[in-house]
Amino acid sequence: MEIDIKPNQRKSIHGQWSSKIVFIFAATGSAVGLGNIWKFPWMTSEYGGGAFVLIYILSVILIALPIMIAEVLIGRHGKQNPVGSLKYLSNKSSTFDVTEIDSDLQRIQTKSKKYSNADDYTNWQLVGWSGMIAGILILSFYSVIAGWTMSYIFKAISGAFSGITVEDSKSMFDTFVGDPEKLLGWHTIFMILTCFIVSKGVKGGLEKSVKILIPGLFLLLISLAFYTYTLSGFYDGLAYMFIPDISKIDGNVILGAMGMAFFSLSIGMGSLMIYGSYLSDESSITNVTAVVAFADTFVAILAGVIIFPIVFTYNLDPSTAGPGLIFQTLPIAFGAMPGGIIIATVFFILLFFAAITSSISLIEPAITYMIEKHSISRPEASAKLGFLTWLLGIGTILSFSYAADLKLFGFTFFDLLDNFTSKVMLPLGGLLIAIFAGFIVKHNIIFDELNISNFKFIFWKSLVRYVAPIAVTLIFVNGLL
Ligand code: PHE
């Protein structure tokens, strides 16, 4: 295939979002998920509260958001799966200008010549590959945790939380995760649902549902935050989250916070490249991504504002709860509040939907790759990749029971996957995407795609060229040593 240098009028073969609002909802659906409500409070407690939150917010603004813009831009221009889009842009950018004499017209003219064809292999494709693998690895444990959420919907309906004590809540959780058969059942159901939606095409199913779900989740979280305001531990919870203890900041905390920013905003692995490839050319990339990043951060902070007052009201120790933090704390509050059964049920249902809108974006890059590259149907691609992910998930399930003591470098299988994807794969993917957008892609392509003032453009470009790559490298090296 020859590279056309004409303005980009191509469309993704998978379709296009019907409006920019739908993109905002879909990308917010991808970003807002278990990461915000399950993982963010857990990480905040793991890394000592306010110090972590502060670094997290700085990472979102200075590192994650500029990379998010780059990712959406690459996707929208490439209009293919991430591997294809990176290849297309890399080849399209490798043109050079030659000045020659046109003997017929008797004048000097400048022509753009190409070094390569759109189909030529480039090493940048590897970034797309690593992203697809990261997506599958993340989904394999994400689905297990989403399974916990589904099970908690039914616990909530049955009234199991009514008047529950701190000890009972903890033992309910421990008994549940210690039962691999139950976890497997829920993990299986969640994976089937994910594959079913993905097999129908992300666009159709997602467009309608996210418009109701995302606002629903926002409203419920805000109401819950009003409830925790009435708890005696409200101010202690807020102080824990918002007053940073600077002495707690070390390489590990910074790496954890940066990794959390990548995970929560769904960047570094191609999800937003795919969503960007369905975005119409008229929508402003900087505006839509800013809205998504803000909404995502808002939900994470809100989740903390709900969880930590509960933690302090009931004298729990935030540093020891681990991944069970929200499943152990929230039932206590639900069990004590008026109308708790209904509120708890609605909460876990909405969390489940938030999880599924994220899970489909985790698998979509690999699905589009299989469809475009191997010419197989969407249902077939979904079934094959879904099975692979499901199989991997069994490792996570067992790491909460039979294989809890089986450790590699001190990590269980689940810890290993979680740490490796968030702290290594996503930041590395993000770093390469920043370098690609900052140095490799032709200036005019980016300038046309972004369509922003010179001042904003220079600001963004210095972030992706220098700030993000240098920060990620330093944090990475420092955190690992
Ligand atoms: N951002 C999602 C969440 O917070 C998880 C996710 C990570 C989704 C990476 C897509 C890509 O739950």
Side-chain angles (χ1 to χ4, degrees):
M1 181 169 92
E2 274 278 287
I3 305 178
D4 62 282
I5 322 202
K6 291 193 290 297
N8 190 22
Q9 282 159 346
R10 298 148 48 247
K11 274 198 178 147
S12 165
I13 59 165
H14 308 280
Q16 190 173 311
W17 304 115
S18 46
S19 71
K20 99 176 176 211
I21 301 295
V22 176
F23 171 85
I24 292 179
F25 275 115
T28 308
S30 164
V32 172
L34 295 171
N36 310 60
I37 292 165
W38 158 73
K39 195 171 171 185
F40 178 77
W42 161 36
M43 290 290 119
T44 304
S45 57
E46 181 115 340
Y47 292 116
F52 173 86
V53 176
L54 176 71
I55 311 269
Y56 175 78
I57 294 177
L58 289 176
S59 307
V60 168
I61 300 172
L62 295 176
I63 304 176
L65 180 59
I67 296 180
M68 190 181 203
I69 294 175
E71 222 177 277
V72 175
L73 179 159
I74 295 169
R76 180 164 81 179
H77 198 83
K79 302 241 176 353
Q80 300 164 48
N81 69 77
V83 175
S85 288
L86 286 159
K87 177 158 71 172
Y88 177 78
L89 257 97
S90 147
N91 284 323
K92 190 170 172 182
S93 297
S94 69
T95 55
F96 61 105
D97 293 337
V98 279
T99 306
E100 49 189 41
I101 299 173
D102 187 322
S103 46
D104 295 340
L105 294 171
Q106 294 279 312
R107 62 164 195 207
I108 294 176
Q109 61 176 25
T110 307
K111 277 186 184 162
S112 235
K113 289 222 167 170
K114 300 158 210 131
Y115 282 119
S116 45
N117 287 320
D119 281 337
D120 289 352
Y121 171 84
T122 84
N123 282 329
W124 290 105
Q125 284 169 236
L126 297 176
V127 179
W129 265 100
S130 125
M132 295 190 300
I133 297 172
I136 301 288
L137 294 179
I138 295 175
L139 182 56
S140 79
F141 68 80
Y142 202 85
S143 164
V144 175
I145 313 295
W148 298 0
T149 309
M150 292 169 84
S151 154
Y152 268 63
I153 298 175
F154 294 92
K155 289 195 185 0
I157 297 177
S158 73
F161 303 154
S162 302
I164 199 169
T165 62
V166 173
E167 291 73 32
D168 290 345
S169 177
K170 183 172 178 342
S171 86
M172 182 198 285
F173 176 76
D174 289 342
T175 318
F176 171 63
V177 296
D179 183 344
E181 278 160 35
K182 279 215 179 96
L183 298 199
L184 184 63
W186 289 114
H187 166 57
T188 310
I189 299 175
F190 189 81
M191 275 314 300
I192 292 177
L193 287 172
T194 301
C195 291
F196 178 74
I197 300 178
V198 172
S199 73
K200 298 260 169 237
V202 157
K203 245 195 73 225
L206 211 59
E207 284 213 17
K208 289 179 218 96
S209 46
V210 283
K211 279 189 192 157
I212 309 166
L213 296 169
I214 301 285
L217 187 68
F218 270 68
L219 276 181
L220 185 72
L221 289 176
I222 291 173
S223 329
L224 284 175
F226 274 109
Y227 171 77
T228 51
Y229 173 66
T230 64
L231 296 178
S232 61
F234 183 71
Y235 291 104
D236 288 339
L238 288 204
Y240 178 76
M241 265 190 84
F242 294 117
I243 301 182
D245 176 355
I246 305 292
S247 69
K248 289 215 171 109
I249 301 181
D250 62 13
N252 200 25
V253 170
I254 303 180
L255 180 59
M258 180 181 71
M260 185 64 225
F262 278 88
F263 184 91
S264 192
L265 290 189
S266 305
I267 57 171
M269 49 126 331
S271 279
L272 291 180
M273 247 182 236
I274 280 294
Y275 280 18
S277 73
Y278 308 152
L279 179 66
S280 75
D281 290 332
E282 297 77 48
S283 313
S284 153
I285 293 181
T286 43
N287 291 354
V288 292
T289 46
V291 174
V292 175
F294 178 79
D296 186 73
T297 310
F298 181 71
V299 173
I301 301 284
L302 208 53
V305 170
I306 295 168
I307 302 292
F308 291 109
I310 304 176
V311 167
F312 284 93
T313 305
Y314 293 96
N315 288 322
L316 305 168
D317 179 1
S319 63
T320 56
L325 179 67
I326 69 154
F327 294 94
Q328 295 176 18
T329 49
L330 283 172
I332 307 171
F334 289 138
M337 68 177 70
I341 295 188
I342 297 175
I343 298 171
T345 310
V346 176
F347 174 84
F348 284 110
I349 291 178
L350 287 173
L351 185 56
F352 156 75
F353 278 111
I356 207 146
T357 52
S358 299
S359 72
I360 53 188
S361 74
L362 280 162
I363 202 169
E364 180 73 2
I367 300 270
T368 49
Y369 179 79
M370 290 205 25
I371 299 173
E372 289 168 20
K373 191 78 191 169
H374 299 293
S375 316
I376 61 173
S377 69
R378 220 170 223 284
E380 189 183 340
S382 316
K384 286 187 170 157
L385 287 167
F387 179 72
L388 178 73
T389 315
W390 174 83
L391 211 59
L392 264 171
I394 297 176
T396 292
I397 291 178
L398 294 177
S399 69
F400 291 102
S401 50
Y402 295 122
D405 296 324
L406 195 72
K407 291 190 177 160
L408 196 66
F409 312 116
F411 291 119
T412 63
F413 185 77
F414 161 67
D415 289 333
L416 201 64
L417 273 189
D418 177 32
N419 278 289
F420 185 67
T421 49
S422 284
K423 291 185 187 160
V424 182
M425 293 189 88
L426 299 185
L428 220 52
L431 170 70
L432 292 170
I433 290 168
I435 294 176
F436 183 70
F439 293 97
I440 307 294
V441 181
K442 273 253 155 98
H443 181 88
N444 59 338
I445 297 182
I446 297 204
F447 202 73
D448 288 349
E449 281 293 340
L450 289 186
N451 200 5
I452 46 178
S453 69
N454 268 327
F455 175 74
K456 282 191 193 158
F457 183 77
I458 292 169
F459 185 62
W460 170 79
K461 192 126 184 179
S462 22
L463 289 178
V464 279
R465 265 199 167 188
Y466 308 108
V467 179
I470 295 173
V472 175
T473 311
L474 288 179
I475 294 172
F476 196 59
V477 174
N478 188 26
L480 290 188
L481 301 180

